[in-house]
Amino acid sequence: MNDLLLDSQRQLEAVLDNATVAIILMNDRQRCIYMNRAAEELTGWALEEILELDRPLHDIIHHTRPDGRPFPLHECAIDRAFPEHARTQGDEVFIHKDGHFYPVAFTASPIRDEVARTIGTIIEVRDITEQKRAQERQTLLVDELNHRVKNTLAAIQSIARQTFADAPAEMREMFGSRIVALSAAHNILTDNAWSAAPISSVVQAAIEPFGNDRFDVTGKDLQLHPKAAVSLSMGLHELCTNAVKYGALSNSDGRIALSWNVENDQPAKVLSIFWREEGGPRVAVPEREGFGFRLLKRQIALEFDGSTELDLRPEGLVCRIVLTLPELPVPLGLDGGRDTA
């Protein structure tokens, strides 16, 4: 084996210079004492040029904010790693040697000697220009999607008002409340870039119109696929509506226990949701199955390889919904602009 390759310093330099991430070392005076080839390409500065300037690295590549305001050294998160003896991470905007700004993600870690004194900082930096552009594309796509969804829902409401003009008020109100529930689910997805929705937010939005103080909600938060979020939102709305008409929410004493848990995580998550009513009037088996119960039984089973069990006990409705959760989609714009939602 070549003796040169056994030299630890040469090995280290070979590793650092062939790394794709930019790596910079600063001493206790915030001066750069080393940067690898990737860091030179990222910043536009050669190590020899930086050493010759003999200035804090911040004053060379990070001294001005994108809006033109000065960026003093003591406000820089990267440089806090040394005096605070702690790792810092985040996003910043650097200034290239040619003057243009570019966004970076960084990790700055203190370097300690053999007696644990902090003697410098090692910084890992990567250019996130494309990631930021993808996020901007994603925002535009989500805004356009949200605009179209709202227009569609408004059109549906307009058509419904004309179609149900002579229908009973209860029917018009029921249809309108379903559109509102659908809109609430879409709002949650819009806030989360249509990539996922927290189940806690979906549940909260569904029960809020019916009085949060009547519900005992428990369950660990998890992210739902947009399709599952919408279906669950509509299913919970139907359960709430039924409870107002016939069950625990039809009087002042009834309560509803709502909980969920993940029963299986391989190869796919299986989510179980439990709904139990108590304190309402004595429940009677209906003569015919309404739209809400049909939606719960059929949509869940067909779309999510799941099931819905409805037990109309005299003391109150008990419902168990089981969903096989779809995998979360790749966020819009973060996979080469491809929409996989």
Side-chain angles (χ1 to χ4, degrees):
M1 183 178 294
N2 192 319
D3 290 341
L4 292 176
L5 292 180
L6 295 177
D7 183 87
S8 59
Q9 183 174 349
R10 288 181 179 273
Q11 291 184 52
L12 178 59
E13 290 177 352
V15 170
L16 292 176
D17 278 336
N18 284 281
T20 57
V21 64
I23 299 174
I24 301 170
L25 298 183
M26 293 195 306
N27 63 16
D28 57 355
R29 298 171 56 238
Q30 312 292 28
R31 267 65 170 173
C32 172
I33 58 173
Y34 173 81
M35 59 169 54
N36 67 349
R37 186 177 294 115
E40 292 182 326
E41 293 174 357
L42 178 71
T43 65
W45 291 91
L47 176 60
E48 291 76 12
E49 295 175 305
I50 296 285
L51 294 174
E52 187 176 333
L53 289 173
D54 190 27
R55 290 158 53 195
L57 182 64
H58 176 89
D59 293 347
I60 301 172
I61 65 172
H62 200 204
H63 51 80
T64 305
R65 301 182 192 275
D67 61 7
R69 291 180 296 124
F71 191 176
L73 177 64
H74 68 270
E75 295 181 7
C76 178
I78 296 174
D79 291 277
R80 283 203 299 268
F82 177 83
E84 295 181 5
H85 314 291
R87 172 178 291 182
T88 61
Q89 292 178 298
D91 295 353
E92 284 291 354
V93 178
F94 280 2
I95 306 167
H96 194 271
K97 183 181 179 182
D98 64 16
H100 79 268
F101 292 90
Y102 57 100
V104 298
F106 74 88
T107 299
S109 306
I111 302 173
R112 296 182 173 88
D113 63 12
E114 63 277 2
V115 293
R117 291 180 304 180
T118 301
I119 57 175
T121 309
I122 181 170
I123 312 166
E124 302 168 62
V125 188
R126 60 185 178 86
D127 189 329
I128 55 173
T129 300
E130 287 305 314
Q131 180 178 327
K132 291 292 185 181
R133 288 174 180 168
Q135 290 173 347
E136 291 173 1
R137 291 195 298 268
Q138 174 181 325
T139 299
L140 289 174
L141 287 169
V142 170
D143 288 346
E144 177 62 20
L145 177 60
N146 186 44
H147 178 69
R148 294 188 181 189
V149 167
K150 288 185 179 296
N151 285 346
T152 300
L153 293 177
I156 292 172
Q157 286 180 311
S158 178
I159 293 170
R161 280 195 295 269
Q162 298 177 46
T163 304
F164 297 148
D166 299 325
E170 181 183 1
M171 182 179 295
R172 295 197 301 271
E173 183 179 343
M174 184 180 299
F175 184 85
S177 68
R178 286 170 177 153
I179 295 298
V180 170
L182 184 60
S183 178
H186 285 170
N187 286 338
I188 294 171
L189 289 167
T190 298
D191 291 341
N192 290 274
W194 278 84
S195 59
I199 189 173
S200 59
S201 298
V202 172
V203 169
Q204 178 65 23
I207 68 175
E208 188 172 15
F210 301 92
N212 292 336
D213 58 334
R214 305 288 295 277
F215 292 82
D216 300 311
V217 179
T218 56
K220 185 178 180 180
D221 209 2
L222 72 152
Q223 298 294 317
L224 297 177
H225 186 284
K227 191 174 184 180
V230 171
S231 293
L232 177 58
S233 178
M234 298 304 295
L236 291 175
H237 174 77
E238 295 303 323
L239 286 169
C240 289
T241 300
N242 181 77
V244 169
K245 294 173 68 175
Y246 310 111
L249 301 182
S250 65
N251 63 16
S252 59
D253 300 321
R255 297 194 64 79
I256 296 172
L258 175 57
S259 63
W260 64 86
N261 67 277
V262 175
E263 295 188 346
N264 180 42
D265 203 13
Q266 295 293 335
K269 286 186 172 69
V270 176
L271 176 67
S272 289
I273 302 161
F274 301 91
W275 172 285
R276 181 186 299 274
E277 298 182 27
E278 60 181 18
R282 186 175 180 82
V283 175
V285 178
E287 296 180 0
R288 64 184 182 86
E289 192 175 70
F291 168 81
F293 283 2
R294 292 198 303 272
L295 179 144
L296 285 165
K297 288 183 176 179
R298 297 175 187 176
Q299 182 169 343
I300 298 299
L302 289 174
E303 290 194 273
F304 303 102
D305 190 24
S307 62
T308 301
E309 301 171 7
L310 295 164
D311 187 359
L312 292 166
R313 300 177 184 178
E315 62 272 18
L317 171 67
V318 175
C319 175
R320 180 172 182 260
I321 302 172
V322 178
L323 306 174
T324 300
L325 296 178
E327 290 186 10
L328 297 179
V330 175
L332 298 176
L334 297 185
D335 189 24
R338 178 169 58 91
D339 177 2
T340 59

